[in-house]
Amino acid sequence: MIKKYPILDLKCTGCSACYNICPNGSISMIENEEGFLYPIINTATCIECELCNKVCPELNKLEYNEQKYLKSYYGWHKNQDIRLNSSSGGFFSSLAEWVICQDGIVFGAAYFNDIKEVKHSSTIEVAIDRLRKSKYVQSSIGLIFKDVKDQLDDNKLILFSGTPCQISGLTHFLGINYDNLITVDLICH
């Protein structure tokens, strides 16, 4: 008998933290009638570990205070072409270029299948220019949080860009603060 799935009884943001943490793949991210991805739990294969409940940002709101927000930055890229091909002045590109020069990896949303699909990817798979610009639709996270954690554990410098909900999902999934992780969230429309 299934204990309880509070993650299904709340206003889910579709961050995919539960999908990434499930040890046996009992959670699927399924598109609803409006096109947003939400978790569905296969109760036949669920082992009731409740890890999904433990990593859910909506169930486990972090208490924020001024000390936790160390610094905020803004800026723009010096290259006019990059600025014009960016959504907000090209600051992401500047930061991404710096991370890559440090032998780091950048994770962000990219178009696939002739812009019919938006999913998170990394500079291991795609060029920085594919990660530029806001996409204005929910990106599929897939199992990217696991990739981020593996690279962080290998001491790679990581830049992860996404919506505030995706950043929160990643933070909850990781469970600890990493000094080699830079997150950049964007305004979600």
Side-chain angles (χ1 to χ4, degrees):
M1 190 79 212
I2 303 305
K3 289 180 184 176
K4 188 175 180 185
Y5 295 112
I7 64 166
L8 301 178
D9 297 329
L10 51 84
K11 186 174 179 177
C12 176
T13 63
C15 76
S16 297
C18 58
Y19 175 69
N20 276 265
I21 201 75
C22 185
N24 67 335
S26 292
I27 297 177
S28 300
M29 297 301 291
I30 305 297
E31 194 174 297
N32 71 3
E33 63 278 353
E34 294 177 339
F36 292 101
L37 299 172
Y38 290 103
I40 301 295
I41 299 173
N42 181 342
T43 57
T45 60
C46 177
I47 59 172
E48 299 182 21
C49 65
E50 298 190 33
L51 289 173
C52 55
N53 296 329
K54 291 176 184 164
V55 300
C56 177
E58 290 301 304
L59 288 175
N60 303 288
K61 300 270 186 189
L62 295 175
E63 300 245 349
Y64 291 105
N65 59 42
E66 289 181 24
Q67 286 83 25
K68 287 191 178 185
Y69 290 107
L70 300 177
K71 295 179 181 176
S72 295
Y73 298 95
Y74 70 92
W76 52 90
H77 203 286
K78 291 181 179 179
N79 182 309
Q80 182 176 348
D81 289 335
I82 291 176
R83 276 197 317 273
L84 292 174
N85 286 303
S86 301
S87 297
S88 301
F91 180 71
F92 167 80
S93 293
S94 295
L95 189 54
E97 290 165 358
W98 179 81
V99 167
I100 290 170
C101 284
Q102 308 303 308
D103 196 32
I105 302 168
V106 179
F107 291 83
Y111 286 115
F112 289 87
N113 300 324
D114 296 324
I115 74 167
K116 293 177 185 166
E117 181 182 10
V118 178
K119 64 181 184 175
H120 260 68
S121 191
S122 73
T123 50
I124 293 172
E125 302 164 328
V126 301
I128 294 174
D129 63 329
R130 298 260 316 268
L131 303 178
R132 279 190 199 119
K133 291 196 172 194
S134 297
K135 310 304 187 281
Y136 301 108
V137 295
Q138 183 185 31
S139 65
S140 172
I141 290 291
L143 295 173
I144 208 90
F145 291 171
K146 290 181 179 184
D147 293 339
V148 170
K149 182 178 185 335
D150 289 344
Q151 296 295 339
L152 288 167
D153 289 342
D154 283 343
N155 292 314
K156 283 288 196 181
L157 178 62
I158 300 298
L159 170 61
F160 186 94
S161 176
T163 64
C165 297
Q166 291 168 336
I167 301 293
S168 184
L170 174 63
T171 302
H172 280 80
F173 171 80
L174 295 172
I176 61 171
N177 292 327
Y178 283 86
D179 290 335
N180 52 331
L181 174 64
I182 302 168
T183 59
V184 174
D185 62 347
L186 49 103
I187 297 171
C188 181
H189 294 283

